[in-house]
C-alpha cells in the first residue's frame, strides 16, 4: 500500500455509532439534574458544537465556569454510558467498513470519546479488525478534534493527509480535517442539522454509503 492510497478516518459517536437518541436522553436527564430545560432533537442539532462548553454557552447565555463544566460533563456521561449500552451501529456501517478493507484500502477511527471507553466498545461491536488504529480522547474533555487528528495521522505509517478523508457528523470534524490538510464529508444522522453542516462548506450526505462514495472521489 503506497502513500498515495486513499484513507478514511472515521468518527465514532453519531457516525459509525447511531447514538443520537441516547445522547438526547442523556442530555435531558442531565439537564433535569442541572436545572436546565429539556431540549428537542431539532434544537440540539441547531445548537450543538465542539468544544462542548460552547454548546452550554448557547443554552445558558454564558460560558460555564470551570467548576460548572466539570459537573456538567460528569453528569452527562454518567447518564450517557447507561443509555449507550443499548445502542447499535449505523445502518450499513459494518458492510461499508468491510467493503473498504476488501478493496485494499485503509481506514482508522478517531473519537473524542474517552479512549478507555472507546476501545472496548469498538471490540464489542466486532469491528476493530477493520481499522489500522483506534484512538479515543486522552486528556481534558473540553477539546476539539484537531490536535488529536494531528497525533492520530502521525502514528499511521504510509498515510498521507492530502489523500485522507474524515467522515464525521460535526463541524469540528471538518475543522480538524482542514487543520491537517485532509478533506471531510459530513453525515446528517448525528449531532448537527443539515443546515448547520451545509454552512461548513464541505460535502454533506444523508447516508454512510454516500459518505464513503464521496470520500473515494475526494481522495482521488
Amino acid at each position: 500500500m503506497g502513500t498515495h492510497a486513499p484513507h478514511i478516518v472515521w468518527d465514532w459517536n453519531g457516525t459509525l455509532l447511531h447514538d443520537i437518541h441516547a445522547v438526547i436522553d442523556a442530555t435531558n436527564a442531565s439537564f433535569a439534574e442541572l436545572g436546565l430545560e429539556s431540549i428537542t432533537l431539532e434544537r440540539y442539532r441547531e445548537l450543538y458544537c465542539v468544544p462542548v462548553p460552547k454548546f452550554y454557552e448557547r443554552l445558558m447565555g454564558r460560558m460555564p465556569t470551570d467548576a460548572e463544566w466539570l459537573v456538567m460533563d460528569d453528569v452527562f456521561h454518567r447518564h450517557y454510558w447507561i443509555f449507550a449500552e443499548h445502542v447499535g451501529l449505523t445502518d450499513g456501517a459494518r458492510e461499508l467498513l468491510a467493503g473498504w478493507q476488501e478493496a485494499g484500502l485503509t481506514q482508522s477511527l478517531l473519537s473524542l470519546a474517552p479512549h478507555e471507553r472507546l476501545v472496548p466498545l469498538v471490540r464489542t461491536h466486532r469491528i476493530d479488525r477493520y481499522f489500522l488504529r483506534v484512538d479515543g480522547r486522552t486528556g481534558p474533555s473540553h477539546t476539539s478534534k484537531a490536535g488529536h487528528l494531528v497525533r492520530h495521522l502521525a502514528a499511521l505509517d504510509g498515510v498521507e493527509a492530502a489523500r485522507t478523508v474524515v467522515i464525521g457528523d460535526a463541524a469540528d470534524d471538518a475543522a480538524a480535517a482542514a487543520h491537517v490538510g485532509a478533506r471531510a464529508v459530513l453525515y446528517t444522522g448525528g449531532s448537527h442539522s443539515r443546515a448547520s453542516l451545509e454552512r461548513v462548506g464541505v460535502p454533506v450526505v444523508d447516508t454512510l454509503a454516500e459518505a464513503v462514495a464521496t470520500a473515494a472521489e475526494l481522495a482521488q
Side-chain angles (χ1 to χ4, degrees), residues 61-90:
R62 64 174 178 83
M63 183 68 76
T65 66
D66 290 345
E68 287 174 328
W69 165 246
L70 289 175
V71 173
M72 291 170 169
D73 190 47
D74 180 68
V75 172
F76 169 78
H77 282 99
R78 174 159 45 81
H79 289 289
Y80 172 78
W81 291 111
I82 294 172
F83 290 117
E85 294 178 2
H86 309 289
V87 166
L89 298 177
T90 301

Side-chain angles (χ1 to χ4, degrees), residues 9 17 21 49 55-57 69 77 104 117 120 131 133-134 149 161 173:
V9 176
L17 188 70
H21 296 292
C49 60
F55 168 58
Y56 283 89
E57 180 183 27
W69 165 246
H77 282 99
R117 290 274 198 172
F131 304 114
R133 186 177 181 88
V134 174
L149 183 58
D173 292 302

Side-chain angles (χ1 to χ4, degrees), residues 6-8 100 163 165 167 185 210-220:
H7 178 82
I8 290 176
W100 188 261
R163 303 299 299 278
V165 180
I167 297 179
V185 180
E210 292 176 89
V212 170
T214 303
E217 293 176 2
L218 291 176
Q220 293 300 318

Side-chain angles (χ1 to χ4, degrees), residues 200-220:
V200 176
V202 302
V204 176
V205 299
D206 296 316
T207 68
L208 292 190
E210 292 176 89
V212 170
T214 303
E217 293 176 2
L218 291 176
Q220 293 300 318

Side-chain angles (χ1 to χ4, degrees), residues 13-14 20 23 41 44-50 169-171 173 187-193 196-197:
N13 301 102
I20 185 60
V23 168
L41 172 60
Y44 180 93
R45 283 176 163 164
E46 283 300 324
L47 296 180
Y48 183 76
C49 60
V50 176
D169 69 314
D173 292 302
Y187 165 62
T188 61
S191 60
H192 286 31
S193 67
S196 63
L197 291 178

Side-chain angles (χ1 to χ4, degrees), residues 6-161:
H7 178 82
I8 290 176
V9 176
W10 289 94
D11 174 56
W12 180 242
N13 301 102
T15 304
L16 288 176
L17 188 70
H18 185 59
D19 68 344
I20 185 60
H21 296 292
V23 168
I24 296 300
D25 289 343
T27 297
N28 283 327
S30 65
F31 280 8
E33 286 192 37
L34 297 167
L36 298 172
E37 292 185 6
S38 63
I39 192 169
T40 64
L41 172 60
E42 292 72 25
R43 180 163 171 75
Y44 180 93
R45 283 176 163 164
E46 283 300 324
L47 296 180
Y48 183 76
C49 60
V50 176
V52 181
K54 291 186 176 296
F55 168 58
Y56 283 89
E57 180 183 27
R58 292 178 176 183
L59 287 167
M60 300 165 59
R62 64 174 178 83
M63 183 68 76
T65 66
D66 290 345
E68 287 174 328
W69 165 246
L70 289 175
V71 173
M72 291 170 169
D73 190 47
D74 180 68
V75 172
F76 169 78
H77 282 99
R78 174 159 45 81
H79 289 289
Y80 172 78
W81 291 111
I82 294 172
F83 290 117
E85 294 178 2
H86 309 289
V87 166
L89 298 177
T90 301
D91 287 345
R94 191 185 310 277
E95 293 76 14
L96 290 165
L97 293 171
W100 188 261
Q101 184 184 73
E102 288 165 4
L105 303 173
T106 60
Q107 55 202 327
S108 57
L109 175 59
L110 176 63
S111 173
L112 292 180
H115 185 76
E116 68 277 9
R117 290 274 198 172
L118 175 68
V119 172
L121 190 55
V122 173
R123 289 174 179 159
T124 295
H125 286 284
R126 303 187 307 280
I127 58 173
D128 51 301
R129 65 184 180 275
Y130 298 123
F131 304 114
L132 294 181
R133 186 177 181 88
V134 174
D135 282 328
R137 173 182 52 78
T138 57
S141 61
H142 57 281
T143 60
S144 61
K145 188 174 278 187
H148 297 280
L149 183 58
V150 171
R151 293 185 289 274
H152 182 75
L153 290 182
L156 294 172
D157 292 332
V159 173
E160 182 180 315

Side-chain angles (χ1 to χ4, degrees), residues 169-187:
D169 69 314
D172 185 60
D173 292 302
H179 181 74
V180 300
R183 309 295 290 275
V185 180
L186 298 180
Y187 165 62

